[in-house]
Amino acid sequence: MDLLYTQLHISIPSADPSWCSFAVSGSAARFEAALLSLIPGSPVDSDARRLLLDRPVSPDSEVARRHQKPSPPFRFSLVPNSHVLSLVILQPALPYLSLMLKAVAVSAGVPLSSLIVSAYSSSQLSYQLNPSAPSLENELPLDSLSEQLLLLEPSFVGTTTASLKTSSGIRMMQDGRELARLDPGLLLTASLRRLSSLCAYYGTPGDVDLIRSLALCADECRIVSSVGPYRMHGRRGLFGKYQLQVPNEALLPWLALAGFFQIGKGASYGFGGFSIEPLA
């Protein structure tokens, strides 16, 4: 089970701090409308629309049954304590990076040349990119889901408790109803299902038995304490900070990985952005 991706940081030094609200407000409508306006209809552009916007269900009946419609091959979030936008792009979407940066500029209402774009890798190395350069995707470092998992594992060795903090409203559905509380078992199973789906559609499919064995621990996940849940005016979903307890330390890196990929963020079902950190 693996997935290749790259991470960019995007800023506009002279812009109002709210310039990036389009990407973190829980709705991608402005960005998607900008993408659509930039896709005139050539065969290459048709491929871009299919991958970035339409995202059809796999023609493989087993993949479609298990994973249904894929999530977007990219995600936005805010770099903590900043007005810098983080954009993680999965490898199949990299040929359309220039198009996506133009859509970011259109969404923010600024020229493409105003964007300051830096590429980051798991080694913490970074360098600035020219957003107008041709074949920009060829300059980018690639990281992998499996490598990120290995980097996360040492942080959770010897502990079965962690802090979970929401960065966008978490929306959890069960039996057709939206829950008014955070269910840690549902969080775990949904995280594993979404990660597995991303790999099936955009990378290397996962070990079904491994995912199933991890998901079997869901009923034993607990919330020890919490601040919240609470709701924020004008924003959907639940917000809060929670202390989680899980039966197996191996589960926490997977939850942290789901947080990194912002699994389900902005979706009409599932849940939003969150981060997982070990307790000191």
Side-chain angles (χ1 to χ4, degrees):
M1 176 171 170
D2 209 357
L3 191 65
L4 296 178
Y5 64 92
T6 194
Q7 182 178 14
L8 304 179
H9 285 183
I10 305 171
S11 61
I12 306 176
S14 60
D16 183 275
S18 64
W19 77 269
C20 49
S21 61
F22 75 88
V24 294
S25 61
S27 172
R30 277 173 60 189
F31 177 74
E32 292 187 354
L35 271 179
L36 195 57
S37 71
L38 294 167
I39 299 175
S42 72
V44 172
D45 293 323
S46 177
D47 290 342
R49 174 169 179 162
R50 179 180 174 85
L51 179 70
L52 301 178
L53 296 174
D54 297 338
R55 306 191 307 277
V57 172
S58 172
D60 184 314
S61 59
E62 180 61 21
V63 172
R65 181 191 66 80
R66 183 172 294 158
H67 303 293
Q68 302 179 2
K69 185 174 181 176
S71 298
F74 58 87
R75 67 89 165 146
F76 290 106
S77 64
L78 275 181
V79 176
N81 304 312
S82 76
H83 301 295
V84 176
L85 199 63
S86 171
L87 172 59
V88 171
I89 309 175
L90 306 187
Q91 187 184 36
L94 285 179
Y96 311 112
L97 173 58
S98 295
L99 176 68
M100 296 175 71
L101 291 177
K102 290 176 183 176
V104 168
V106 169
S107 302
V110 300
L112 180 62
S113 58
S114 298
L115 301 186
I116 306 298
V117 183
S118 299
Y120 281 75
S121 70
S122 58
S123 62
Q124 303 302 312
L125 295 176
S126 67
Y127 55 93
Q128 192 167 318
L129 302 172
N130 177 0
S132 302
S135 303
L136 186 60
E137 66 275 10
N138 296 331
E139 303 178 30
L140 298 173
L142 287 176
D143 287 323
S144 74
L145 180 148
S146 59
E147 290 174 353
Q148 184 68 17
L149 187 64
L150 289 174
L151 289 173
L152 289 167
E153 286 176 346
S155 299
F156 298 98
V157 169
T159 182
T160 55
T161 57
S163 170
L164 180 150
K165 184 178 181 180
T166 63
S167 56
S168 65
I170 289 183
R171 302 183 64 207
M172 309 190 78
M173 302 292 290
Q174 191 170 52
D175 298 328
R177 295 180 295 109
E178 186 170 341
L179 300 181
R181 58 182 176 82
L182 186 143
D183 183 322
L186 184 57
L187 180 77
L188 173 66
T189 55
S191 293
L192 293 171
R193 185 170 62 249
R194 294 290 186 88
L195 285 171
S196 180
S197 176
L198 284 178
C199 290
Y201 274 101
Y202 303 121
T204 304
D207 183 333
V208 175
D209 291 335
L210 171 62
I211 298 301
R212 185 178 292 117
S213 67
L214 293 171
L216 287 174
C217 300
D219 290 342
E220 299 177 64
C221 297
R222 300 284 183 269
I223 294 177
V224 178
S225 62
S226 67
V227 178
Y230 54 88
R231 297 184 183 272
M232 296 180 67
H233 179 69
R235 301 182 68 179
R236 304 175 70 179
L238 302 174
F239 293 79
K241 185 175 182 179
Y242 305 84
Q243 181 179 335
L244 298 183
Q245 185 172 51
V246 298
N248 185 338
E249 67 181 42
L251 298 173
L252 294 175
W254 285 93
L255 282 173
L257 197 63
F260 173 78
F261 282 104
Q262 298 280 294
I263 295 296
K265 179 180 178 298
S268 59
Y269 63 95
F271 45 90
F274 64 92
S275 59
I276 297 279
E277 296 181 355
L279 290 175

